Amino acid sequence: MSAQPSPHGAEAVSEAAERRWAMIVAIIIAALVVMMVVTGLHWAAMPPSRVETVDVKSLHIKGEFVEQNLGTTMARDGGVMVRLIAQQYSFVPQCIVVPADMPVTFRGTSTDAIHGFVVGTTNANTMLIPGFVATFTTTFRKTGEQLMPCHEYCGTGHEAMWARVQVLPPEEFIAKARSGERVNCVAG
Ligand code: CUA
């Protein structure tokens, strides 16, 4: 006669299995909650790009983001740099000239609220947070004019906050930039 597990024994086994699985699910949920809290606090406390700070109070007066330093410049080594500021409710400069098919580095920050921008349908896209310098490098593939709207809600004027970006053929841009001065959208 083989040993039949008693009905009571089977119940105990299934109960233990259920409890084990409940425990595993509880551990998974707890791990997910911990991940949410840790990443939430971590990402909220600092911008996701390289952390570089700037003093909002003296931004207009001294340093990299004074007005005469904003806009597009080309260094001797051919490096193209765009510096810009976002404020309620405009970008400075309002029109940005960049070359196609050359790497362009953007450096920007905000003087008041959180702003952001995206250039047309390109991957030039960043947030601009007061106190932090946002920087990225991209290459524009298509020439022509693109719109650059603010894409972070920043107040009542948000939907009217945008700039234009003129993407020039490289040779035309280089001809304009050769003087070493800032390149602007004014023709000639
Ligand atoms: Cu600036 Cu929205």
Side-chain angles (χ1 to χ4, degrees):
M1 201 174 107
S2 60
Q4 288 284 326
S6 74
H8 184 73
E11 207 173 282
V13 167
S14 67
E15 218 180 272
E18 248 177 67
R19 200 167 294 127
R20 202 162 50 239
W21 280 110
M23 187 68 81
I24 291 170
V25 170
I27 290 170
I28 291 171
I29 291 171
L32 290 174
V33 169
V34 168
M35 267 165 62
M36 275 165 58
V37 170
V38 169
T39 54
L41 291 175
H42 181 72
W43 293 114
M46 55 190 87
S49 59
R50 191 160 59 103
V51 177
E52 197 182 329
T53 57
V54 64
D55 183 7
V56 177
K57 290 195 293 281
S58 60
L59 207 63
H60 289 298
I61 306 161
K62 60 177 181 355
E64 181 182 347
F65 293 98
V66 293
E67 197 185 351
Q68 64 269 24
N69 213 27
L70 300 177
T72 310
T73 51
M74 189 173 73
R76 266 175 217 285
D77 65 2
V80 179
M81 169 79 77
V82 178
R83 284 194 186 80
L84 73 152
I85 273 184
Q87 61 199 10
Q88 286 166 320
Y89 297 99
S90 61
F91 291 99
V92 185
Q94 283 284 320
C95 183
I96 294 166
V97 181
V98 293
D101 303 324
M102 286 168 73
V104 178
T105 298
F106 282 78
R107 284 175 66 78
T109 189
S110 163
T111 61
D112 40 40
I114 293 180
H115 302 273
F117 67 84
V118 59
V119 180
T121 53
T122 69
N123 71 344
N125 186 342
T126 189
M127 282 172 84
L128 298 168
I129 301 169
F132 294 94
V133 179
T135 180
F136 65 89
T137 301
T138 190
T139 303
F140 295 93
R141 294 293 169 206
K142 276 200 334 226
T143 58
E145 189 165 292
Q146 305 259 16
L147 286 182
M148 184 183 118
C150 175
H151 65 24
E152 292 285 340
Y153 182 75
C154 52
T156 51
H158 163 70
E159 77 281 356
M161 180 171 173
W162 51 275
R164 288 177 300 139
V165 175
Q166 284 183 0
V167 186
L168 299 182
E171 52 289 354
E172 194 179 324
F173 175 86
I174 291 167
K176 266 190 148 189
R178 196 168 284 142
S179 68
E181 287 182 8
R182 289 187 302 161
V183 189
N184 61 44
C185 294
V186 181

